[in-house]
Every structure is written in structure tokens, then in C-alpha cells.
Amino acid sequence: KFVQKVLLGTFVVEGIGALLYMIVFIPEFGVKGIWISIFNSISAFCNAGIDIIGEDSLCAYVFNPIINITTCLLIFLSGIGYIVWWDVLKILKHFKQQGWKCFRFLTLHSKIALSATGILIFTGAFLIFIFEYHNPLTMEDYSLVHKLQASLFQSVTTRTAGFATIPQQNLTNASAIVSLLLMFIGGSPVGTAGGIKTVTIMVLLVSALATIKNKEDVVLFHRTIPKEAVSKAVAVTSISFIVMFTSTVLLSAVTDAPALDIMYETISATATVGLTRNLTSSLNLWGKIILVITMYLGRVGPISLLLAFNKKTGNKKMIKNPTEEISIG
């Protein structure tokens, strides 16, 4: 049933996205616009970031509200995760009776995913708006509305979508660093996005806060987070960081590009984003091989690979090593 719902939901959302794209692409490209619309809709929903329009992604449509809104919605809906879809739809059935109070009955997973996604998108858009406001290479000459639109799109596309309405190499260093963080976090679990996921980062932050306050339990939305979930969040983040760091060092060894451009490339690959500061096409064979392996590890997931190769079975050890206190931080 879950697979059937996923297939049906995906087909409906991508179909609506394609129809909205056709409003722009058919008048511009004629009959070919139908194929371009379908291709872009699937690419945006699947967080692929690949288009067949030209070499500059969607930069030519930075002022077009239909392209911007449609792409952002496709990225958001796919990145939020299918579990949240069904949870929200189930809750909305009671909207007429209970109004907005019905959202109190969302599962903990949905509450974390939705709140974290909202915080990341709007915080990211605000920071990019501030850092790019007077940047002559990007948004200095844009109207206020267009600056807000471009900032929001940049924040949303870093959720591992890969489309761009602003040339990434023209971003200020501050905006690029904000984008690095957003890319590393990525989308939500059980969706098409990559990254360590929104739920993971929220669990880590709340766990850190609980440790600072000397609290035994990690609590979020009045619910205790299982210790296994905290341990898994630490493992996912640590291994993803190791993959990103290793690929950054290796790529630095085979290219003379600036450090920021290399980090942008490797974090984008680790989180399967697809954004680049014009470095990908200039890499040599070894650089491309490094990125291919990094993208594969990022898509399959380091944890999944380690579990697949870990064939140890049997009961847990009855004898444990002695415990001894150490200093952390």
C-alpha cells in the first residue's frame, strides 16, 4: 500500500508540476516545451537538478514567478518525505471540525520535519537576502520582490535540488558558506532529498542542549527521543562528515581550485545536490572519479553501506569492558 501511495502521489505531483511548467515553456519552445516541462518536473521532484534548457540552469528565469514557485513547491514536497505527506493528509480530514488545532495530532516525526524545514528555508533565505543585497554580480540591480524571490529559491534549492537561478560562482563568500550548511543538512527522511536530513540535525541540537542543561532525557515537542535515535544521528553526521572531509582533501590534491569552490563541490556531491561554482566541468579524470564515488556514497548512505558489509550476527556479548570516566570538550 505504501508503494502504491508513493507511485500515485509522485505521478500526481509531477503531473501538476509539468502542467504549470508548460504555461511558460510551450509559448517559448513550442511543442518541445511539453517534453522540457515533463523533464524539469521529474528532475525537480526527484531532486536531480538536471535540465535540458541550457548551460545556465534556470538563471534565465530568475524573475519568472511561475518557474520559481513551481520548482520550489516540487522541491519542498519531495524533500519533506512521504511519511509527512500521509500524516498531513490524515490530519486535514479533521480540519473543518478542529481548525488549526488538528495539527497538534501530527506525529513527532512530521512535527520535527516540518518545523526544521521551515526554519532552514526562511533563515537561509533571510541570510542570503542580506548577504547578496548589494552584490553587483547577483542581486544588486534586482527589485525588492525579485531579491526576495531569488533568495528564497537559493535557500530551497540547497535542499539537494541542484537548480540555480543565480550563478553560484558569483555568490558572496558568506552566502556560499550558508549554502554549504544548508546542503549538508539537506531534506527530510523517506523523501528524495540527500544530506544528513532535517530530523537528524534537530535531534543533535536538542541532544546537545539537553547535555548542557544536564538533563538525562532528550525531549522534543513534549516527547522523549529514544537514545538509539540520538546515537544514529551522531553516526550519520559523523560518517557523512568523514566522507565530505576525505573527498575535500583528495579533490584538493588533484586540482588547484580555491578551497571554497572545492568544498562547495564535495559537500554538494556528498549531499547529492548538484550545485557547483563552475568547477565540475574543469576537473580532470581523477577529480571526476572522486566526485562519482562521493555522490554514490552520499546517495546510498554511508550507514547503509556499513550495515550491508557488517555480517556479524549472534547474541550480544555477555561480558563487557569496564567503564572509566573521560573528559569531553
Side-chain angles (χ1 to χ4, degrees):
K1 283 187 176 181
F2 180 77
V3 174
Q4 289 177 345
K5 286 182 178 180
V6 168
L7 291 174
L8 179 61
T10 300
F11 180 79
V12 170
V13 173
E14 288 180 348
I16 294 173
L19 291 174
L20 291 172
Y21 277 136
M22 288 179 193
I23 297 174
V24 176
F25 291 142
I26 290 180
E28 183 175 350
F29 297 101
V31 177
K32 185 182 177 182
I34 298 175
W35 166 239
I36 293 175
S37 300
I38 295 172
F39 190 98
N40 267 49
S41 181
I42 295 174
S43 181
F45 184 84
C46 294
N47 281 232
I50 300 172
D51 70 88
I52 52 176
I53 298 174
E55 296 181 357
D56 299 322
S57 190
L58 300 178
C59 290
Y61 303 94
V62 63
F63 301 143
N64 191 302
I66 295 177
I67 298 297
N68 278 260
I69 294 173
T70 301
T71 306
C72 284
L73 286 176
L74 287 169
I75 295 168
F76 170 80
L77 289 174
S78 61
I80 199 67
Y82 295 108
I83 293 177
V84 180
W85 281 26
W86 316 136
D87 196 21
V88 171
L89 289 174
K90 182 177 65 177
I91 293 298
L92 286 176
K93 294 179 181 179
H94 307 286
F95 185 79
K96 290 183 178 180
Q97 299 175 347
Q98 302 180 1
W100 295 105
K101 293 181 179 179
C102 68
F103 285 97
R104 293 183 301 175
F105 301 103
L106 286 171
T107 62
L108 178 61
H109 173 90
S110 297
K111 289 178 180 177
I112 297 174
L114 288 169
S115 58
T117 298
I119 292 170
L120 289 171
I121 288 177
F122 290 108
T123 301
F126 173 75
L127 292 175
I128 292 167
F129 175 81
I130 296 298
F131 296 143
E132 297 299 317
Y133 194 92
H134 293 297
N135 184 357
L137 298 177
T138 55
M139 302 192 307
E140 185 179 50
D141 297 328
Y142 294 1
S143 67
L144 179 61
V145 173
H146 290 151
K147 285 180 179 179
L148 291 171
Q149 181 174 272
S151 300
L152 180 63
F153 189 95
Q154 176 66 23
S155 181
V156 172
T157 196
T158 54
R159 312 310 307 286
T160 78
F163 286 111
T165 56
I166 299 175
Q168 301 300 292
Q169 65 274 16
N170 293 342
L171 292 173
T172 62
N173 289 346
S175 293
I177 292 172
V178 170
S179 297
L180 289 178
L181 177 61
L182 294 175
M183 288 192 292
F184 187 71
I185 297 173
S188 299
V190 198
T192 61
I196 64 172
K197 304 297 189 296
T198 55
V199 176
T200 302
I201 195 66
M202 286 291 283
V203 169
L204 283 178
L205 291 175
V206 175
S207 176
L209 189 61
T211 301
I212 293 171
K213 293 183 176 181
N214 200 26
K215 291 184 177 181
E216 184 177 350
D217 295 328
V218 178
V219 179
L220 196 56
F221 290 106
H222 306 291
R223 295 290 186 272
T224 300
I225 305 296
K227 294 187 183 300
E228 294 80 5
V230 178
S231 299
K232 188 174 181 181
V234 172
V236 168
T237 306
S238 300
I239 296 175
S240 295
F241 179 81
I242 290 171
V243 171
M244 180 271 295
F245 180 80
T246 303
S247 62
T248 299
V249 173
L250 293 175
L251 194 60
S252 299
V254 298
T255 181
D256 295 327
L260 182 58
D261 292 355
I262 293 174
M263 288 185 64
Y264 212 87
E265 201 80 8
T266 54
I267 292 180
S268 178
T270 305
T272 64
V273 182
L275 292 174
T276 177
R277 289 169 66 88
N278 266 5
L279 180 59
T280 308
S281 58
S282 63
L283 291 175
N284 57 25
L285 177 61
W286 287 110
K288 292 176 181 177
I289 290 175
I290 291 168
L291 285 187
V292 168
I293 296 173
T294 303
M295 287 188 287
Y296 180 80
L297 292 174
R299 181 65 275 179
V300 176
I303 292 291
S304 300
L305 287 174
L306 291 177
L307 290 176
F309 288 111
N310 184 10
K311 298 181 179 179
K312 293 182 179 180
T313 57
N315 297 326
K316 295 182 179 180
K317 291 182 178 180
M318 299 302 294
I319 302 176
K320 296 183 178 181
N321 292 319
T323 302
E324 185 173 344
E325 295 293 330
I326 60 174
S327 297
I328 300 292

